[in-house]
Amino acid sequence: MTTDPLTLNNTALAGRHVRLEPFDESLREPVRAALDCDPDAWRLFAINGQGADFDAFWRALNGQVAQGGWIAYAIRHAATGAIVGTTSFLNIKPTRQTVEIGGTFIHPDARATLVNAEAKYLMLAHAFAAGMRRVELLTDARNARSQAAIAKLGAVREGVLRRERVTWTGHVRDSVLFAVTDLDWPDVRARLERRLGAAGPA
């Protein structure tokens, strides 16, 4: 299989509950509206996508996309058609066959649904179909909700990267590292498919 990052790029990923749409200018204002909430959650992110910081956030993500190491998606809720958040592939490393999933913000109204689970399922399936060997997920050590959600996917908690980055608030962050490898993927996929198939509409 190829691991050229172009096999991951500019591809919408569609499921029963969500559609992941690569950023383009037509999505700027719907994404802005979806992200302009929950300041307590944003304080746990590395960069801020809320309020007056949104335009810099949008430029930064699109700049990373232009360099080829990042793919940013808007998350569209299939039932309503509304944009309800964002998520990204980042640190795409084709020679190492690794990629990270991160930058995921889900609007509070969509958090108690299958939106995040299916978004992660679609991204994991896309990454492994493209030949990736390892998919990493990092989150702030203070963010218990994020850690629980990642663990619920079936990702393996591998440890804590101490003082791993400085966030937009100036906080020196410890990051918890989770991963799903190609060897883990069959069990993780089955687990997610059972979860997605057993529940009703998102």
Side-chain angles (χ1 to χ4, degrees):
M1 291 183 181
T2 180
T3 55
D4 186 326
L6 292 177
T7 63
L8 294 175
N9 209 357
N10 298 321
T11 303
L13 306 177
R16 188 156 57 103
H17 305 289
V18 298
R19 177 180 169 86
L20 306 184
E21 301 179 8
F23 274 13
D24 65 38
E25 194 58 28
S26 71
L27 292 166
R28 179 197 285 256
E29 295 311 313
V31 170
R32 184 197 303 271
L35 271 52
D36 195 19
C37 61
D38 200 352
D40 289 339
W42 280 112
R43 280 192 278 273
L44 297 174
F45 276 70
I47 59 175
N48 186 30
Q50 183 190 31
D53 288 338
F54 175 80
D55 288 325
F57 167 91
W58 181 264
R59 287 193 300 272
L61 265 63
N62 280 287
Q64 293 287 345
V65 170
Q67 293 176 34
W70 195 303
I71 303 165
Y73 294 101
I75 303 172
R76 189 179 298 279
H77 192 280
T80 66
I83 298 299
V84 294
T86 64
T87 190
S88 296
F89 285 120
L90 52 151
N91 295 323
I92 300 169
K93 298 176 180 176
T95 58
R96 291 176 50 188
Q97 299 175 299
T98 65
V99 66
E100 182 183 340
I101 293 174
T104 302
F105 181 91
I106 307 292
H107 190 281
D109 291 347
R111 287 180 191 157
T113 71
L114 293 174
V115 164
N116 183 59
E118 189 169 65
K120 294 297 193 298
Y121 171 79
L122 292 170
M123 295 177 78
L124 287 164
H126 189 51
F128 289 117
M132 294 297 171
R133 179 176 47 82
R134 175 181 170 87
V135 178
E136 297 181 340
L137 303 98
L138 279 79
T139 191
D140 194 309
R142 300 170 298 168
N143 195 339
R145 181 174 63 198
S146 176
Q147 292 177 59
I150 295 170
K152 190 174 180 180
L153 298 172
V156 175
R157 187 183 190 275
E158 296 187 339
V160 177
L161 306 178
R162 297 178 300 156
R163 299 179 66 79
E164 187 260 344
R165 70 185 71 182
V166 180
T167 73
W168 69 277
T169 66
H171 174 72
V172 180
R173 170 177 141 172
D174 291 345
S175 295
V176 181
L177 172 64
F178 293 81
V180 179
T181 73
D182 54 346
L183 301 180
D184 304 324
W185 173 232
D187 287 341
V188 171
R189 178 178 58 200
R191 175 177 180 163
L192 281 168
E193 287 175 351
R194 285 194 300 270
R195 181 176 166 192
L196 293 167

